Amino acid sequence: MYKDLAQRFNDLLQLKQSPIGLAFVDDVPESVQHTRARVPSACTFWRLGGQGVFYATAEDHQECPIGMMTMGFTMPEASQQRAQALVQTMADVQYFSPLEVSALPVVKKPHKSIVYGRLDQFPIEADVVLCILDTQQAMLVAEAMGNMNWLQSGGQSAFGRPTCAVIPRTMLTGATSMSFGCVGARTYVGLTPSELVLTVPGNEFAGLVERLQTTVSANAALAPFHQQQKARFSS
């Protein structure tokens, strides 16, 4: 259902990897298979989602207590203890304050599973579209979303850690969210130093693609002026 939109999005931004969809569901479509992968983090599913469509349960996320928390799964006692130990380690090295835990955004939509997968193959309506972009691509998306319009907003909101919190933040606010990429996501997803993570509400994606066409064309029209201006002063 997203095939044409995803292709246009990929072409406009010249993406290296297709965006992925995430849907938080109680009932999984029969055509979607349960993942067999055992992963070290919730964000690892983003990387695997670039290879196909699958669903994962709370149990599949249990190796990542912070991810279980932000994804809105109820943690068993063992996971809660590991989460507390991890938060304490983060606090000990002055990376993360234990007080921040209560303020983390979490998915509120009731669900038993999460469907992950390439957007061009996604079989149901996505709650969130997740994109891995470089900074130039992120600027184009921000312009297309109107987040760079100083008459309407104060600029693009962005934060660092944990990167997985962009997903509930987008679902809670209905707005795009951007993370510069925490050390965990950079390790598990394999983000390059110039890449970041951006999430878009699923119901906003079609409109984004339409506006992006105008934004990309406008940037292309302005590029020759700046190139000529630079050339005037290069001598």
Side-chain angles (χ1 to χ4, degrees), residues 15 29 51 53 111 167 175 194 200 221:
L15 294 182
Q51 303 169 17
V53 179
H111 62 285
I167 295 167
S194 65
V200 182

Side-chain angles (χ1 to χ4, degrees), residues 28 32 45 53 72 103 110 129 150 170 184 214:
V28 178
V32 178
F45 287 127
V53 179
V129 175
W150 291 102
T170 284
T214 300

Side-chain angles (χ1 to χ4, degrees), residues 77-146:
E77 180 64 29
S79 294
Q80 292 180 24
Q81 293 177 359
R82 291 176 56 241
Q84 292 170 0
L86 178 58
V87 169
Q88 186 58 54
T89 297
M90 291 177 173
D92 290 344
V93 298
Q94 300 183 35
Y95 175 78
F96 193 82
S97 167
L99 297 177
E100 290 186 66
V101 174
S102 62
L104 280 178
V106 299
V107 172
K108 299 296 186 181
K109 179 182 177 181
H111 62 285
K112 296 178 182 176
S113 303
I114 305 174
V115 178
Y116 294 92
R118 287 175 57 104
L119 194 63
D120 56 1
Q121 300 175 6
F122 214 67
I124 57 177
E125 184 175 351
D127 289 307
V128 173
V129 175
L130 185 147
C131 319
I132 295 175
L133 308 175
D134 63 29
T135 52
Q136 181 181 18
Q137 293 161 342
M139 181 65 178
L140 291 171
V141 170
E143 289 177 343
M145 293 296 294

Side-chain angles (χ1 to χ4, degrees), residues 46 66-67 70-71 103-107 159-172 177 179 199:
W46 311 345
I66 298 298
T70 58
M71 293 302 98
L104 280 178
V106 299
V107 172
F159 65 95
R161 77 288 189 277
T163 299
C164 55
V166 293
I167 295 167
R169 186 174 187 272
T170 284
M171 293 178 66
L172 292 168
S177 298
S179 171
T199 48

